[in-house]
Amino acid sequence: MVELDWKAKMVSSDIPKKSPKLSNKPQVSIPTPFRFSNMSSPLSTSPSASKAYDYYLRLPELRKLWETEEFPAWKNEVVLKPALHALEITFRFISIVLSDPRPYLNRREWTRRLQSLTTSQIELIAMLCEDENEAPILDLTSSNGVLTRESSSAEVWKIHGETTVVNRTSEASLLPRLVTWQKSEDVAQKILYSIECEMRRCPYTLGLGEPNLSGKPNLDYDAVCKPNELHALKSSPYDHIENHENSTLYTTNQILESWIQTAKQLLKRIASGIDAGSFEAAACDCYILEKIWKLLEEIEDLHLLMDPNDFLHLKSQLQIKSVNETEAFCFRSKGLVEITKLSKELKHKVPFILGVEVDPNGGPRIQDAAMRLYSEQKEGNKVSLVQALQAIEAALKRFFFGYKQVLMIVMGSLEAKGNRVVACSDSGDSLSQIFLEPTYFPSLDAAKTFLGEFWSREQGESRFKK
């Protein structure tokens, strides 16, 4: 079980004595933490439920694909590979939706949602690829317009006069096939243009058939993503169940877990970057992580488009039920539990970022350092980093709040959690404990409170003098 520390130490309300600007000592009351009755760890679930979840999604086999490092010199491989897997699974998802024969399926809204989800993923992948110089790429300008037998899907064309470009398209990805299918042609074309636009700041492009008007090198997509091995896992162990929502649920959660894996690797990179003093790079990674939390929320929202009757029938067929009154279904994902814990533990990096140690007597040392950082405006990289850390907290809590609403809508308020989680009024369920708990960064919060009060008093005094 993963235990989270729910008790946040509240800082003193003293104003830093070293700063002459902040010596008026305004009296500001800090809100007290929300108290939960009979509070237990929110991140706990039955090991058997987690094992069943892993088995249903074939996560052990997916993890082997994620964790196999085939390019030792490429540090970004463990971060980018599961993101590319999620994108490729989304291409399969589009095919599943457009092939669904049910006449009552809202195919138009499904198409819009999957287009939006794909664009969000491409944006994140592009952010992960910026400043990348170690990825396995195919230099398309070195062949002088000569096509090799292995690259039958390549195109030859010229840009800027006589410059010859060989634009190679992945032979294993589903996206080029979606372009040739009448039902998915418009969706696939829009995805290709999204790749072209989002990858403009990157040193290479994905090589999925996008125009590549800049003539940039292509990522060796097939070697990195291995679409054939990935799509070999497209069938769940419960494919014998005759319910169209089975493939929808299975595919949705495979995409979710792939991005959770990327988030986990990114969190490790953030922690090591902070420890190394690379605050600017760490801040960039933190904002990417914030976007991943928002993407996870977007993925969970896909459940809202599932047919209620078919989904609840599937729930019965798969025997999905609560183990206890307060358990949340999402915590059956060990990966989600881990990235939640790691995201929260970033709070322990704040003293190092501010260059101070925690006062063993509980004094406002961290708060004072934060107020100096904000007021002096000399270290922008540190300000960006602590702001990004709080952005992660906000995105994390929004995810769990949104998940609770999705759970209620999809399953019904009573069915959602053993008649307890969304139906009772004491907010003692595991989801509410997460998004209602006190801030992870009380010193940063207090520093902003006092700084805001200082400027309010300054403004009031200036008006009085006039």
Side-chain angles (χ1 to χ4, degrees):
M1 300 298 176
V2 181
E3 296 291 338
L4 289 184
D5 177 21
W6 293 99
K7 296 181 180 178
K9 294 182 179 179
M10 301 310 294
V11 296
S12 168
S13 60
D14 290 337
I15 297 300
K17 297 179 180 179
K18 296 181 180 179
S19 175
K21 290 185 178 181
L22 304 175
S23 59
N24 292 329
K25 294 189 177 182
Q27 300 299 315
V28 182
S29 59
I30 306 260
T32 57
F34 186 88
R35 300 295 179 184
F36 297 103
S37 60
N38 302 320
M39 185 172 59
S40 60
S41 171
L43 301 184
S44 60
T45 189
S46 164
S48 60
S50 292
K51 186 175 181 180
Y53 176 84
D54 286 6
Y55 175 72
Y56 174 66
L57 297 179
R58 302 181 68 175
L59 287 184
E61 295 158 281
L62 268 177
R63 289 190 185 104
K64 287 182 180 179
L65 293 180
W66 296 334
E67 296 170 0
T68 301
E69 298 184 32
E70 300 187 7
F71 306 95
W74 187 25
K75 297 178 182 179
N76 207 27
E77 179 182 4
V78 293
V79 178
L80 188 59
K81 184 187 290 186
L84 293 175
H85 285 165
L87 183 65
E88 186 65 32
I89 294 171
T90 306
F91 300 154
R92 187 174 79 226
F93 203 172
I94 293 171
S95 175
I96 291 172
V97 168
L98 295 179
S99 301
D100 196 315
R102 290 176 292 174
Y104 49 85
L105 181 73
N106 190 344
R107 193 167 286 102
R108 176 178 294 181
E109 186 59 28
W110 264 113
T111 302
R112 288 171 176 167
R113 291 290 184 99
L114 290 178
Q115 278 183 340
S116 174
L117 177 64
T118 305
T119 301
S120 299
Q121 292 181 83
I122 293 170
E123 180 184 1
L124 271 167
I125 289 171
M127 293 175 71
L128 291 169
C129 292
E130 288 183 22
D131 304 321
E132 175 72 72
N133 53 18
E134 299 171 337
I137 61 173
L138 302 169
D139 187 359
L140 305 180
T141 60
S142 61
S143 63
N144 295 319
V146 179
L147 296 181
T148 63
R149 293 180 181 272
E150 303 82 47
S151 303
S152 58
S153 61
E155 299 176 349
V156 181
W157 42 280
K158 294 180 181 293
I159 60 172
H160 306 308
E162 299 300 319
T163 303
T164 302
V165 174
V166 180
N167 191 34
R168 182 176 178 179
T169 301
S170 166
E171 297 180 356
S173 173
L174 288 181
L175 183 58
R177 303 178 196 181
L178 292 176
V179 176
T180 63
W181 186 27
Q182 185 178 3
K183 287 185 178 180
S184 60
E185 182 182 3
D186 59 334
V187 179
Q189 288 289 355
K190 183 176 180 180
I191 293 172
L192 291 177
Y193 293 136
S194 295
I195 295 173
E196 176 74 10
C197 293
E198 296 296 340
M199 297 296 290
R200 288 183 66 86
R201 293 189 299 272
C202 304
Y204 57 85
T205 189
L206 297 183
L208 292 174
E210 64 272 22
N212 192 15
L213 299 178
S214 302
K216 293 188 291 188
N218 281 5
L219 176 72
D220 195 348
Y221 184 89
D222 290 348
V224 175
C225 184
K226 297 187 180 299
N228 290 331
E229 295 183 22
L230 182 65
H231 293 310
L233 305 177
K234 67 180 180 181
S235 299
S236 81
Y238 297 94
D239 260 11
H240 59 279
I241 293 177
E242 295 183 1
N243 192 318
H244 288 287
E245 296 297 2
N246 189 25
S247 58
T248 303
L249 181 66
Y250 175 75
T251 309
T252 299
N253 283 278
Q254 278 199 335
I255 297 171
L256 181 81
E257 289 294 331
S258 297
W259 277 107
I260 286 174
Q261 176 69 15
T262 290
K264 183 170 73 172
Q265 297 299 328
L266 193 62
L267 276 157
K268 294 178 181 178
R269 194 166 81 181
I270 290 170
S272 61
I274 293 174
D275 291 341
S278 303
F279 298 138
E280 184 176 354
C284 180
D285 284 342
C286 283
Y287 281 118
I288 295 176
L289 181 62
E290 178 207 9
K291 286 183 174 290
I292 291 178
W293 275 110
K294 292 179 179 179
L295 179 67
L296 298 183
E297 184 178 359
E298 186 177 355
I299 295 169
E300 287 291 357
D301 284 348
L302 293 177
H303 291 88
L304 299 175
L305 295 182
M306 295 182 183
D307 180 74
N309 185 65
D310 289 345
F311 176 76
L312 293 173
H313 185 201
L314 176 65
K315 176 178 176 291
S316 176
Q317 290 172 309
L318 294 176
Q319 298 182 349
I320 301 174
K321 57 184 179 180
S322 299
V323 177
N324 57 59
E325 290 183 338
T326 58
E327 177 215 74
F329 285 112
C330 62
F331 295 135
R332 300 182 183 197
S333 168
K334 291 180 286 188
L336 182 61
V337 169
E338 186 173 1
I339 66 169
T340 302
K341 177 175 178 285
L342 291 174
S343 294
K344 183 173 182 181
E345 287 181 347
L346 289 173
K347 64 183 180 181
H348 299 305
K349 301 293 183 182
V350 171
F352 178 77
I353 295 169
L354 299 178
V356 296
E357 295 182 358
V358 177
D359 190 335
N361 298 321
R365 190 181 295 172
I366 301 175
Q367 173 191 317
D368 293 353
M371 293 178 70
R372 287 193 297 271
L373 176 70
Y374 293 141
S375 61
E376 292 175 358
Q377 298 180 309
K378 293 180 180 179
E379 297 179 281
N381 56 346
K382 289 186 177 182
V383 173
S384 295
L385 179 53
V386 293
Q387 287 288 93
L389 292 177
Q390 290 188 288
I392 291 172
E393 177 190 2
L396 183 157
K397 290 181 176 179
R398 277 197 302 268
F399 168 80
F400 286 106
F401 178 81
Y403 180 82
K404 183 171 180 177
Q405 310 312 309
V406 170
L407 196 66
M408 181 179 64
I409 293 170
V410 171
M411 294 186 181
S413 59
L414 293 179
E415 176 68 14
K417 269 304 164 213
N419 299 339
R420 170 71 184 277
V421 167
V422 298
C424 87
S425 59
D426 65 357
S427 299
D429 63 274
S430 53
L431 294 175
S432 296
Q433 287 184 32
I434 289 182
F435 62 75
L436 291 178
E437 69 176 318
T439 176
Y440 304 159
F441 307 95
S443 296
L444 300 180
D445 180 74
K448 290 179 179 178
T449 300
F450 293 127
L451 195 58
E453 178 66 17
F454 165 76
W455 284 116
S456 296
R457 289 168 62 88
E458 285 287 302
Q459 185 71 14
E461 290 177 4
S462 64
R463 288 179 179 175
F464 178 76
K465 291 177 181 180
K466 290 181 181 179

